Amino acid sequence: MSSSNPLRDAADRRLPRIAGPSGLVIFGVTGDLSRKKLMPAVYDLANRGLLPPGFSLIGFARREWQDEDFAQEVHDSVKEHARTPFREEVWQQLIQGMRFVQGTFDDDNAFEQLKKTIEELDKAQGTGGNFAFYLSVPPKFFPSVVQQLKKHGLADQKEGSWRRAVIEKPFGHNLQSAQDLNKVVHEVFPPHEVFRIDHYLGKETVQNILALRFANTLFEPIWNRSYVDHVQITMAEDIGIGGRAGYYDGIGAARDVIQNHLLQLLALTAMEEPASFDADALVAEKTKVLGAVKLPKDLGKETVRAQYAAGWQGGEKAVGYLQEDGIDPKSKTDTYAAVKLEIDNRRWAGVPFYLRTGKRLGRRVTEIAVVFQRAPHSPFDHTATEELGQNAIVIRVQPDEGITMRFGSKVPGTSMEIRDVSMDFAYGESFTESSPEAYERLILDVLLGDSNLFPRLEEVETSWRILDPIEEYWDAHGKPAQYEAGTWGPVEADEMLARDGRSWRRP
Ligand SMILES: NC(=O)c1ccc[n+]([C@@H]2O[C@H](COP(=O)([O-])OP(=O)(O)OC[C@H]3O[C@@H](n4cnc5c(N)ncnc54)[C@H](OP(=O)(O)O)[C@@H]3O)[C@@H](O)[C@H]2O)c1
């Protein structure tokens, strides 16, 4: 779909994109995501002048709160987590449109109350009937909330206004469940009004992959099998599962991170140049490259799953996964997953893409490392280059956003000795503007109806097609390997790369 607003398409893209009359309903507003990310993002957007004057925010949850209690909760979360400074005048304007609706998801009266509240805000705040419903709730409730919206006429698309659904991840836990969920959602909302969140796509550094590749001439000529040896995509967390046992156990690292974030990073790194940056063109290229992903022949050797065992992290003792509160001591859930994928097309044939993610690893870092082949011939003698690694371009997605290029350079002195050096671009040093939070960008895009940064169903389905056979193999074969908390994962993952004559980066 191209943007729903052709006039905006023609507009100068440097002008601020300001949402038109609209409101946001957050289901699960008392949850962790809402408090840490969504409510602060709404305030930051307001503070940057990107929301319309009558913007309205409705919280829906079970607590017996009044509007004032909800406003106080938003206030506290903004003070604690917002990116931009607190300004009383912005806050005073924002609370004019803040309302709370109390109820559970099966409570018809609560949805009727929500309907009344929206109608009242349309009149009082001029929201024009335009509302986005953000489902920040446990995934098992996605279908019931969507069906309640339909039952109470809240999803009706009226002439001249819109109703949108924003659905958090995970979108299903395998291909079949993703398709089932989609069926329910599309019976209620038209496809272009459904926004599936993969918050990685809202990150500046992830969008910058496209800028790096397609706004420059330097990189694209070498971005292929003739020059690239392999690609490593890593998302490492240093924390354990915290209080999220209920969510995590049975899901695991591969479903939680590889199916969405890492395969999206692979798609952006490997896809062909889209004809334009319209959502349709982007999705077509991402889906095409994901569709060309080839699973390893030997899933036993070329995938690894593991669980963290007790260890030390940041000077503190960490318990193993099976000893965490709320975890079944016989759980086979993966807290670490690594897979080797190839892409069956002319650009990438024979180039492995190694993807890994894990909890309780050495450091919190997300990066894409494009590692280049060694020079085909070296005029230097072996001792000159024995410490020289392979050239690499590393896109650092978080935490210290930027790009590093690694190449060999002569060590100062009278002998010829060549060693790795790096050249660094850091966002913080090159730009005075700080990067908006991913959720700021994504909420604004929802209100603008701009779906470029939201995975479409085709991509979600294709990603499950990649992961499902791996999960099925793991279910049928043995137990997860183990790794000590605070290390860089299981020895089996090191062996997987060693068999290819390679090793994981230690970021
Ligand atoms: N947290 C993250 O960083 C993160 C990251 C990525 C994706 N997500 C996704 O975002 C969504 C929300 O995550 P979360 O971490 O915020 O979850 P959470 O802390 O468990 O919050 C869930 C919310 O749903 C509400 N809720 C649960 N059952 C309900 C019911 N029967 N009726 C009414 N309300 C009910 C809870 O209200 P009560 O307060 O009344 O229990 C709470 O507001 C999930 O889909 C998750 O997968 C979260």
Side-chain angles (χ1 to χ4, degrees):
M1 186 199 71
S2 62
S3 152
S4 58
N5 184 345
L7 280 179
R8 215 190 57 246
D9 285 346
D12 184 338
R13 287 190 187 271
R14 289 167 304 178
L15 293 175
R17 301 150 75 238
I18 299 173
S22 54
L24 181 69
V25 179
I26 303 181
F27 290 98
V29 80
T30 55
D32 187 59
L33 181 71
S34 169
R35 273 188 299 108
K36 288 196 184 134
K37 299 288 180 184
L38 306 183
M39 298 194 285
V42 167
Y43 170 80
D44 285 324
L45 286 171
N47 203 8
R48 290 163 65 207
L50 302 179
L51 296 182
F55 178 80
S56 297
L57 177 68
I58 305 177
F60 185 110
R62 292 187 279 199
R63 312 277 156 104
E64 299 222 351
W65 279 349
Q66 303 300 314
D67 291 344
E68 303 75 56
D69 303 313
F70 173 54
Q72 184 61 44
E73 190 68 18
V74 182
H75 181 269
D76 295 348
S77 110
V78 166
K79 281 252 163 140
E80 194 177 349
H81 299 290
R83 184 177 63 89
T84 60
F86 189 82
R87 287 200 292 147
E88 193 57 36
E89 63 273 27
V90 174
W91 177 250
Q92 286 306 329
Q93 184 163 6
L94 202 53
I95 53 170
Q96 301 300 318
M98 251 181 236
R99 302 287 185 279
F100 182 72
V101 176
Q102 190 242 330
T104 53
F105 302 137
D106 53 4
D107 179 354
D108 285 329
N109 289 336
F111 279 82
E112 280 304 310
Q113 184 56 40
L114 176 60
K115 191 173 179 177
K116 262 202 231 148
T117 307
I118 286 180
E119 285 162 4
E120 182 236 312
L121 284 168
D122 274 343
K123 287 202 191 96
Q125 294 286 105
T127 33
N130 303 316
F131 274 85
F133 299 99
Y134 198 123
L135 275 61
S136 180
V137 300
K140 67 177 175 205
F141 292 115
F142 292 161
S144 39
V145 176
V146 167
Q147 279 157 343
Q148 283 284 44
L149 292 172
K150 182 183 166 120
K151 184 171 168 191
H152 295 275
L154 285 157
D156 295 350
Q157 306 287 334
K158 301 215 174 94
E159 187 67 32
S161 66
W162 50 258
R163 294 291 160 101
R164 295 181 180 138
V166 187
I167 302 188
E168 260 299 333
K169 69 157 219 200
F171 199 85
H173 58 271
N174 58 19
L175 177 61
Q176 186 59 52
S177 58
Q179 288 173 332
D180 293 345
L181 173 59
N182 199 60
K183 199 158 166 278
V184 176
V185 173
H186 280 185
E187 272 164 13
V188 180
F189 288 95
H192 65 278
E193 303 293 18
V194 178
F195 293 74
R196 294 174 196 80
I197 297 276
D198 182 332
H199 73 273
Y200 261 57
L201 297 182
K203 289 181 184 285
E204 288 288 334
T205 38
V206 172
Q207 295 159 45
N208 194 39
I209 299 169
L210 299 177
L212 177 82
R213 293 191 54 199
F214 303 127
N216 298 302
T217 51
L218 204 53
F219 307 108
E220 210 45 26
I222 52 169
W223 212 259
N224 55 53
R225 69 185 302 276
S226 304
Y227 297 94
V228 175
D229 177 72
H230 72 279
V231 177
Q232 293 188 21
I233 305 182
T234 301
M235 181 191 153
E237 292 178 280
D238 51 4
I239 51 170
I241 52 155
R244 305 193 78 218
Y247 164 74
Y248 199 81
D249 204 36
I251 299 269
R255 284 197 179 96
D256 192 39
V257 176
I258 293 185
Q259 184 272 337
N260 37 68
H261 306 323
L262 296 198
L263 285 175
Q264 283 289 328
L265 294 182
L266 175 144
L268 294 170
T269 306
M271 73 184 200
E272 296 302 316
E273 183 173 299
S276 72
F277 280 106
D278 274 352
D280 277 341
L282 266 173
V283 169
E285 292 306 338
K286 283 198 282 167
T287 311
K288 199 165 92 189
V289 77
L290 287 171
V293 166
K294 190 170 77 175
L295 279 172
K297 278 202 195 74
D298 186 344
L299 291 173
K301 285 207 170 119
E302 287 172 341
T303 71
V304 172
R305 62 163 168 167
Q307 285 175 340
Y308 57 83
W312 288 88
Q313 192 136 40
E316 286 182 19
K317 204 159 176 33
V319 298
Y321 179 68
L322 297 179
Q323 289 82 50
E324 295 273 15
D325 282 347
I327 297 296
D328 172 1
K330 292 202 183 84
S331 170
K332 286 165 75 178
T333 299
D334 46 305
T335 64
Y336 175 99
V339 299
K340 173 185 175 181
L341 300 173
E342 291 194 14
I343 298 175
D344 252 352
N345 65 19
R346 182 169 287 233
R347 186 192 280 262
W348 295 114
V351 177
F353 282 68
Y354 300 104
L355 276 49
R356 67 174 161 166
T357 182
K359 293 198 177 285
R360 287 254 180 255
L361 296 181
R363 213 189 124 202
R364 172 177 170 257
V365 64
T366 301
E367 63 163 44
I368 302 162
V370 179
V371 182
F372 291 87
Q373 296 168 12
R374 289 186 186 278
H377 164 77
S378 173
F380 307 103
D381 68 39
H382 174 66
T383 50
T385 56
E386 66 187 355
E387 286 190 49
L388 183 64
Q390 283 167 275
N391 294 169
I393 296 176
V394 182
I395 300 166
R396 301 192 308 272
V397 174
Q398 67 182 15
D400 52 340
E401 296 97 339
I403 296 172
T404 300
M405 278 167 68
R406 185 181 69 188
F407 52 89
S409 183
K410 182 184 175 306
V411 179
T414 47
S415 66
M416 180 52 92
E417 188 191 343
I418 301 169
R419 245 190 259 157
D420 287 325
V421 293
S422 56
M423 204 157 85
D424 210 45
F425 149 67
Y427 263 82
E429 284 170 20
S430 298
F431 298 106
T432 49
E433 303 89 338
S434 70
S435 297
E437 277 283 332
Y439 281 97
E440 281 174 67
R441 173 68 197 261
L442 296 178
I443 290 173
L444 181 62
D445 281 1
V446 168
L447 300 176
L448 288 163
D450 191 337
S451 62
N452 279 26
L453 300 179
F454 298 84
R456 289 252 189 98
L457 181 66
E458 304 91 288
E459 296 165 69
V460 174
E461 286 188 352
T462 312
S463 300
W464 282 123
R465 279 198 186 92
I466 296 167
L467 199 63
D468 276 1
I470 298 175
E471 292 282 357
E472 282 160 20
Y473 178 89
W474 287 347
D475 278 348
H477 294 84
K479 289 199 311 194
Q482 300 270 303
Y483 60 101
E484 203 177 303
T487 65
W488 275 100
V491 62
E492 287 80 352
D494 293 336
E495 287 165 3
M496 177 175 123
L497 261 70
R499 281 192 289 274
D500 293 348
R502 303 187 174 102
S503 56
W504 291 107
R505 288 170 44 78
R506 293 281 180 265

